[in-house]
Amino acid sequence: MMTWILASVAGAATSFVANSLMAAALIGPLFSEQLGVVRSREQGLQWAAMLGGTLLLAGLCAYLYPRLDFGLPNEALRGALLGALIGLAVFGAGHLIVAGWSTIPAAPMFWSGLLDALAWIPGGVAIALAYRWLGGLDVVA
């Protein structure tokens, strides 16, 4: 259980930092005008919601990681693939669904969702490395 918790925290922290860098460097500059949903500085960010959602996804990744093999030769590749799949499923699909029921254009939502999904690749690798360093693969039933 402790391995899962620590792997979840490692994955959440890594994904959160990667996503923050992605948002500052690419998503904001490329899509903020088209999306029209980016909060102003005065409005601030909802940190609890962002951190909570990131931790939930990382917990899911950390739960699935030791249970999925993917037939890949090493842990880092398995973690990267799992992170990519979780990121694509949640952000790629989620952004398109939001575009479908809102007035936000689908194309920038798709591309921003794809960029958001990429942040989960290093998160998945962090989860894999946490399991490796903590020796947690032997605790899976």
Side-chain angles (χ1 to χ4, degrees):
M1 180 72 153
M2 184 57 71
T3 301
W4 171 75
I5 291 170
L6 293 174
S8 297
V9 170
T14 303
S15 292
F16 191 84
V17 168
N19 189 262
S20 297
L21 293 172
M22 187 80 66
L26 292 173
I27 297 170
L30 291 175
F31 302 114
S32 64
E33 285 183 30
Q34 296 166 345
L35 298 177
V37 294
V38 177
R39 293 173 178 270
S40 68
R41 251 182 233 274
E42 294 77 29
Q43 290 171 315
L45 297 173
Q46 298 296 321
W47 288 99
M50 291 188 324
L51 292 172
T54 301
L55 194 54
L56 280 172
L57 283 177
L60 174 63
C61 281
Y63 176 81
L64 291 174
Y65 174 76
R67 290 160 175 81
L68 300 174
D69 185 344
F70 296 120
L72 295 172
N74 68 47
E75 296 95 347
L77 287 174
R78 286 174 41 213
L81 179 58
L82 180 59
L85 291 173
I86 291 291
L88 186 60
V90 171
F91 292 101
H95 281 54
L96 286 176
I97 291 168
V98 170
W101 60 256
S102 71
T103 60
I104 302 169
M109 281 297 282
F110 170 76
W111 291 111
S112 67
L114 193 59
L115 291 172
D116 278 335
L118 293 177
W120 282 90
I121 294 172
V125 171
I127 288 168
L129 294 177
Y131 269 100
R132 174 192 234 177
W133 293 331
L134 297 169
L137 290 178
D138 59 339
V139 299
V140 177

